[in-house]
Structure formats: C-alpha cells, structure tokens
Amino acid sequence: MTAFLYIVTVLVWGTSWLAITFQSGPVDSLISIFYRFALASLLLLPFLYLTGRLQKARRADHLWFFLQGCCMFSFNFICFYHSSKYMASGLVSIVFSAAIFYNAINNKLFWGVTPSKSVYGAGVLGISGLTLLFWQELMQTEASHELLLGIGLAALGTFGFSLGNMITVRHKKHDINPLTSTAYGMSYGTAVLLLIIFVTQTPVTWDDRPLYGFSLVYLSVFASIIGFTAYLSLVNRIGANQAAYATVVFPVIALALSSVFEDYTWGVMNSLGLVLVLLGNAVAMNLVKFPKRATVPVKL
C-alpha cells in the first residue's frame, strides 16, 4: 500500500506543475487558486459526509484544520503560482523537493524528532545541486532578479507546506484520518482565499480556453483531492520525513515535461545538478549512506 501511495503522489504531483502553467492567462492567479480548492472542497466534503466517511471533530480540531488550510491550501499556493511566473514549472518543483529538509528541521522543533546525521550531508549535496540546476539562469543578469524572486517564493511556499505536514502529524496523534483533514483543510483554505480576494478587491474573471478548464479540473480532482490524500496518508503511515521523499522523485517528471512544453534545455551542469539533488535527498532518507571512517585501534 505504501508503494502505491508513493506512485500516485509522484505521478499526480509530478504532472501538476505543468498544469499550473496552463492556468496562466487573463485570470489572476489568486482566482485560479480559489477555483481549484473551491471545486475540490465542494466535491470532497459532501461526498465524505453523504458516505459516512467524515469523522466527527472537536472545536480544537477545527482550529488545526484552519491552520492547515492556511499552510497547505492557500498561502503556500499563492507563493507557488507566483513563482511559476518567474521560472519554469520544473524548477519550481525542484525547490519544492527541499520539503524533506524543512520537515527534518520542523520535526525536531515541534515534535522532538532528531534528524539523522546524514541529513546534514544531504543538505550540502542538495544546495550544490540546486546551484548547478539554476546556474544558467543565475548567469543571465537580466533575469537574475526575477529568478531569485521566484526561488524565494517557492521556498516560502515549501516552508508553509512543511508546517502543514507537522499539523498532519498532530492529526495522527488524535486519530484523525487524512480524508477528513484534507476535506476540512481545503474548505478552510478556500474561505481564506475568498477573504483575500475580497480584501484585495481582485476581479473575479474566467478563462474560456478549454485548456484552462481542463487544467482546473485536473488540479482540483487529481492534484488536490487524490494527490493530497495520498501524500497525507503517507505521512500517517511512515512519518513526515519519509513521506517527503515523494517530493524528490516527481521533479524528474516535472522537468521532463518542462523540456517538452516549456523548452527547458538540458546540459552537463543542470543534469549534474539534478543528480546531486536526488542523491542528497536519497542520503537524507538513508537510501544511500556515506561510508563510515575506518577506525584503527591504537596500541599502548
């Protein structure tokens, strides 16, 4: 079951970054995010209620659902959508793969779970890999400021996503299943987005392109309902640190799609960078271990 959840998460989220770029157009990104989670919550919450799968929750639980909605289903996606305006969707997904490091740190801060020493070595590999991946873009002086802004927004969104992971760990401790937390979290996230739209007076418009409608349905049903439920189920089953490894695998799919649809080109530098990022995350997950230094007994 764990392997199945991994595959679903990787395939769905690996293709969702390209669908996000299809949302670019006359509709403000804030409105597109609202459409996405409004449709997802309108489909998921009534379905769970009518089928008797929606758990009863306490008032305190709803507070945490609200916080999870802010972290995972509203503010973080505002960052992701805006970052996609400044760099290729595949590169956004690479920054998102840093969730494994955020989770390791936040697990220590919030739950006292100490990350393994290999995480620090993995961090060096990951940062080196990201530098190589962005090397060509960073060397383009005219686009460097926008690229840095895009990286910063993606990193901020990833941090919010990690905080949502920590709330999921809390839900597990209170026997709240991922379907219930996802349904309520998306509903509260949608309400937050609606409030932001009202405060910022963002015009509510629609894009008549079939591609926009198709990508909206895909993002709502597959990337939101199925993708988040599968991922949060992984968090429940194997923990936040292990589940975050899924965010490492799908950038390969996302970058492959970027090379086809967004003219993202591969060279020696960014190819090596991708290898280092994947290797760093694999080390962090203890799939690859650094060789231990041999100790020589000292004779007295």
Side-chain angles (χ1 to χ4, degrees):
M1 185 62 180
T2 299
F4 174 75
L5 292 173
Y6 258 118
I7 293 172
V8 170
T9 303
V10 168
L11 290 179
V12 171
W13 280 1
T15 53
S16 67
W17 297 99
L18 183 61
I20 288 177
T21 64
F22 292 154
Q23 297 275 285
S24 300
V27 180
D28 189 274
S29 58
L30 177 60
I31 304 300
S32 292
I33 301 169
F34 170 76
Y35 287 153
R36 170 179 176 172
F37 288 113
L39 177 58
S41 58
L42 286 174
L43 290 173
L44 183 58
L45 191 61
F47 171 78
L48 294 180
Y49 178 79
L50 293 174
T51 57
R53 298 181 181 181
L54 188 68
Q55 287 181 291
K56 292 183 178 180
R58 303 169 301 167
R59 183 176 301 178
D61 294 328
H62 281 278
L63 173 61
W64 288 104
F65 292 148
F66 172 77
L67 293 176
Q68 189 171 34
C70 292
C71 292
M72 299 189 78
F73 306 115
S74 56
F75 291 114
N76 64 319
F77 273 93
I78 293 175
C79 293
F80 290 140
Y81 274 61
H82 279 84
S83 68
S84 295
K85 296 178 181 179
Y86 303 111
M87 57 184 181
S89 63
L91 295 179
V92 178
S93 72
I94 289 292
V95 179
F96 184 46
S97 71
I100 189 172
F101 303 114
Y102 283 121
N103 279 3
I105 296 171
N106 287 331
N107 252 333
K108 174 63 176 177
L109 292 176
F110 293 102
W111 302 111
V113 179
T114 303
S116 62
K117 293 181 179 180
S118 61
V119 171
Y120 300 106
V124 175
L125 289 171
I127 293 173
S128 301
L130 286 174
T131 301
L132 292 178
L133 273 166
F134 293 120
W135 188 256
Q136 292 181 352
E137 288 80 359
L138 287 170
M139 291 299 99
Q140 297 175 2
T141 306
E142 295 180 356
S144 62
H145 295 294
E146 291 186 348
L147 179 64
L148 290 174
L149 177 59
I151 294 173
L153 287 170
L156 183 61
T158 304
F159 179 71
F161 172 81
S162 177
L163 292 179
N165 279 228
M166 298 303 104
I167 296 174
T168 300
V169 175
R170 179 265 173 194
H171 291 331
K172 180 183 179 181
K173 294 179 182 293
H174 290 77
D175 297 322
I176 299 173
N177 64 53
L179 279 172
T180 296
S181 63
T182 299
Y184 279 124
M186 286 183 181
S187 299
Y188 284 120
T190 300
V192 171
L193 290 168
L194 184 61
L195 177 62
I196 296 174
I197 291 171
F198 176 77
V199 171
T200 59
Q201 297 184 341
T202 304
V204 179
T205 57
W206 179 255
D207 191 336
D208 293 329
R209 293 178 302 151
L211 187 60
Y212 181 86
F214 172 79
S215 60
L216 175 61
V217 172
Y218 183 84
L219 289 170
S220 298
V221 176
F222 290 91
S224 298
I225 296 177
I226 297 177
F228 271 99
T229 300
Y231 177 78
L232 295 181
S233 296
L234 278 177
V235 174
N236 269 10
R237 292 173 67 90
I238 60 178
N241 288 351
Q242 297 288 330
Y245 183 66
T247 68
V248 179
V249 182
F250 68 70
V252 178
I253 298 176
L255 282 174
L257 292 174
S258 288
S259 63
V260 175
F261 294 97
E262 299 176 311
D263 297 324
Y264 181 79
T265 57
W266 288 92
V268 176
M269 295 284 282
N270 51 6
S271 297
L272 178 59
L274 179 59
V275 171
L276 290 178
V277 169
L278 296 179
L279 178 60
N281 284 272
V283 170
M285 296 299 298
N286 291 320
L287 298 177
V288 175
K289 296 183 179 181
F290 290 114
K292 295 182 178 180
R293 182 187 302 177
T295 58
V296 179
V298 178
K299 296 182 179 181
L300 299 177

